[in-house]
Amino acid sequence: MRYLSQIFQPIITIPKNAKIKNTEITCKSQKLLLECGLVRPTGTGFFSILPLARRSIDKLEVLIRKGIESVGAQNITLPTLTPSSLWEKTGRLGSEAELLTVEDRHEKQYLLAPTYEEAVADLLSDVGPISYKQLPLLLYQISNKFRDEHRPKHGLLRAREFAMMDAYGAHATLACAERAYERISEAYRRIFEELQLQVFRVSAPSGVMGGSVSHEWQLPAAPGEDRLCVCLSCHHASTSEGRCVVCGGETESLGSIEVGHTFILGTKYSDPLKAHFIPPSGPAEPLVMSCYGIGITRLLAASLEALSSDKSLRWPRHIAPYSVLVIGPKEGSKEWSAHGVDSIDRLYRRLSEVPGLTNDILVDDRHTLTIGKRLLMGDKMGFPYIIVCGRSTLDNPPKYEVYKSVPHQQSAPVLLNLEELLIMLTDKVECDNLKILENKN
Ligand SMILES: [Zn+2]
């Protein structure tokens, strides 16, 4: 059984217009994550991720791994430090202003990589030339990346160290790369659907990454530094203002946050780094590469921006730190004698049997606090289901107040006995899972 009183969660109250570690509080995910004791800044643009946020990120990583592995991606780990010489060969060393660099005792230069195109091309070059029979190849990793932001802000949305899923495709031809690109885009769509987030794929310039095709994956949310124009009739999204290029309809302009980026890179990296493959006939040729990123900590913060109110966090259902919070009666009350520790134990065990809820239930055992006070905190934390053992546990059979979290809103309770509660949670969890399966097929 997991008790709330044992969770390391340093809750604080941030006064209006306060600065934390010289950083202004500029958006709600930043404020609420800090206030609820989910993250802790260690300096400008760096954060300690605390247990509840860590659980949420772990869940998000599982979901992203599942999505990207469903299209054949293989998991690898590359060193955090990339030799600067590789970036010199591709011409990116001078053009990226936000690189964090280090030097070892032999005066060899490295960079704390923001992205790994060079490292992957070097790996493929080192083992190559590989046979066309091994293609297409899709390698991915989930690790922390670094960007020495000039002005880190908005908490996890623009941090100097951040968790990211980055995948790299190697292909024999541009046509192969394009086919793989669309398959992986579909995997992205399923990942965002599973999170119940409306993320738009929009054409983007390739910038310093180079290559021929590039899309940004944008989630509309208030503090977004990007602008998104979404057609009111066909929902086509683009970054340029004006009428919809698809149907000519009117568009609305929204602030949005880039949560992913995908590119077909061509031979920009494989050529200078000599990452070659052997075709069915003829001499070795440079691989056609593609790359795919999802900013994991940024996606978490962006989804909180999109779903939360100013006062209360709201999570995509599948990545909330815990799915259910149980609040027992206040010690010494009438309900406490009827529905005390033993009854809460029994309730916990019954709920744990619901498929999908095992090890995903938290019990608020601070029984000296009133139910109201604990409920207020539970609502602020945004647990998808809060089950309160209040006055109605004196009924026969006992009834529970069940609060289901809704984006942007304070939850309203329904009163259910244990059987009804189990049916609701089973249906709900199964219904969610069913939806995921449907989306897969
Ligand atoms: Zn349109």
Side-chain angles (χ1 to χ4, degrees):
M1 189 129 106
R2 189 56 90 173
Y3 293 113
L4 186 66
S5 65
Q6 303 303 309
I7 301 274
F8 180 58
Q9 185 188 11
I11 290 169
I12 56 169
T13 307
I14 304 171
K16 246 194 171 148
N17 305 323
K19 283 191 173 189
I20 307 282
K21 305 240 168 183
N22 294 325
T23 309
E24 265 178 82
I25 306 295
T26 48
C27 64
K28 58 191 175 193
S29 66
Q30 183 187 18
K31 179 168 188 281
L32 290 167
L33 284 170
L34 247 161
E35 286 197 331
C36 293
L38 297 170
V39 303
R40 198 85 179 172
T42 62
T44 313
F46 292 104
F47 296 90
S48 298
I49 307 284
L50 304 185
L52 290 173
R54 188 61 247 175
R55 266 184 79 90
S56 171
I57 293 169
D58 287 345
K59 288 182 176 185
L60 183 53
E61 288 185 1
V62 167
L63 202 141
I64 290 173
R65 278 184 201 285
K66 201 174 66 180
I68 195 80
E69 288 185 7
S70 76
V71 285
Q74 302 174 54
N75 192 16
I76 58 169
T77 300
L78 295 163
T80 307
L81 296 180
T82 302
S84 301
S85 56
L86 294 179
W87 281 57
E88 222 165 344
K89 284 183 190 161
T90 59
R92 266 213 292 190
L93 196 57
S95 60
E96 282 266 0
E98 293 169 339
L99 288 176
L100 266 175
T101 53
V102 289
E103 190 181 275
D104 72 7
R105 64 178 69 221
H106 308 295
E107 293 176 9
K108 192 170 171 180
Q109 305 283 330
Y110 295 88
L111 47 95
L112 285 154
T115 177
Y116 281 76
E117 287 74 22
E118 281 82 353
V120 170
D122 186 53
L123 172 70
L124 296 174
S125 160
D126 189 43
V127 299
I130 57 178
S131 162
Y132 74 94
K133 289 177 190 161
Q134 276 199 283
L135 303 176
L137 189 61
L138 186 61
L139 303 173
Y140 85 97
Q141 57 173 355
I142 290 181
S143 60
N144 279 11
K145 312 291 190 292
F146 299 84
R147 202 177 289 282
D148 198 4
E149 293 278 357
H150 183 58
R151 263 194 72 210
K153 60 175 174 176
H154 300 331
L156 294 183
L157 287 175
R158 193 169 279 283
R160 292 204 280 170
E161 179 174 357
F162 49 93
M164 187 172 154
M165 186 288 295
D166 47 328
Y168 304 88
H171 318 273
T173 65
L174 186 60
C176 295
E178 283 168 354
R179 276 199 300 278
Y181 188 87
E182 285 311 317
R183 266 204 311 280
I184 294 159
S185 289
E186 276 310 310
Y188 267 48
R189 287 196 183 95
R190 287 196 297 271
I191 289 168
F192 295 129
E193 262 172 38
E194 197 163 336
L195 292 168
Q196 291 164 346
L197 296 173
Q198 198 180 21
V199 175
F200 294 92
R201 186 178 94 155
V202 290
S203 292
S206 297
V208 292
M209 296 289 285
S212 53
V213 176
S214 155
H215 291 96
E216 288 172 3
W217 296 76
Q218 295 274 358
L219 175 66
E225 295 180 326
D226 295 323
R227 293 309 292 179
L228 195 63
C229 285
V230 181
C231 175
L232 294 171
S233 345
C234 76
H235 303 295
H236 175 265
S238 102
T239 47
S240 43
E241 307 261 341
R243 292 206 160 254
C244 171
V245 291
V246 176
C247 76
E250 262 188 70
T251 60
E252 75 176 318
S253 174
L254 307 165
S256 74
I257 300 167
E258 184 189 333
V259 292
H261 211 142
T262 49
F263 299 86
I264 294 181
L265 299 165
T267 58
K268 177 174 156 103
Y269 299 89
S270 52
D271 204 15
L273 293 169
K274 302 188 170 52
H276 292 162
F277 76 101
I278 303 168
S281 62
E285 291 173 24
L287 288 157
V288 176
M289 287 178 66
S290 54
C291 73
Y292 312 86
I294 295 179
I296 290 178
T297 32
R298 177 184 278 202
L299 174 57
L300 174 75
S303 64
L304 295 175
E305 288 296 337
L307 303 175
S308 304
S309 71
D310 286 336
K311 290 207 176 84
S312 300
L313 287 168
R314 290 294 179 264
W315 311 76
R317 159 79 182 82
H318 293 291
I319 63 164
Y322 284 88
S323 292
V324 176
L325 177 73
V326 175
I327 298 180
K330 183 173 191 300
E331 222 170 80
S333 65
K334 237 191 203 170
E335 300 89 273
W336 178 251
S337 39
H339 203 283
V341 174
D342 291 344
S343 306
I344 295 168
D345 251 32
R346 273 198 300 280
L347 174 64
Y348 178 87
R349 279 200 298 275
R350 291 298 301 276
L351 295 175
S352 293
E353 288 164 12
V354 173
L357 288 187
T358 314
N359 299 325
D360 209 22
I361 301 166
L362 190 61
V363 176
D364 190 339
D365 58 331
R366 299 169 303 167
H367 297 120
T368 53
L369 299 179
T370 63
I371 284 180
K373 188 158 189 198
R374 283 176 288 157
L375 181 58
L376 211 63
M377 193 57 212
D379 182 67
K380 183 170 182 174
M381 276 291 299
F383 294 103
Y385 299 97
I386 301 177
I387 298 166
V388 173
C389 313
R391 181 124 329 146
S392 304
T393 51
L394 295 172
D395 293 0
N396 188 17
K399 287 202 180 70
Y400 302 95
E401 292 162 35
V402 183
Y403 296 79
K404 182 179 173 303
S405 80
V406 181
H408 306 293
Q409 285 174 30
Q410 201 162 4
S411 324
V414 287
L415 217 52
L416 302 174
N417 66 34
L418 181 60
E419 292 314 313
E420 292 166 333
L421 172 60
L422 289 171
I423 290 169
M424 187 202 76
L425 286 174
T426 307
D427 281 359
K428 189 57 205 145
V429 174
E430 278 188 355
C431 179
D432 284 350
N433 291 342
L434 207 69
K435 202 163 166 269
I436 294 160
L437 289 174
E438 275 168 9
N439 288 338
K440 277 226 168 59
N441 296 333

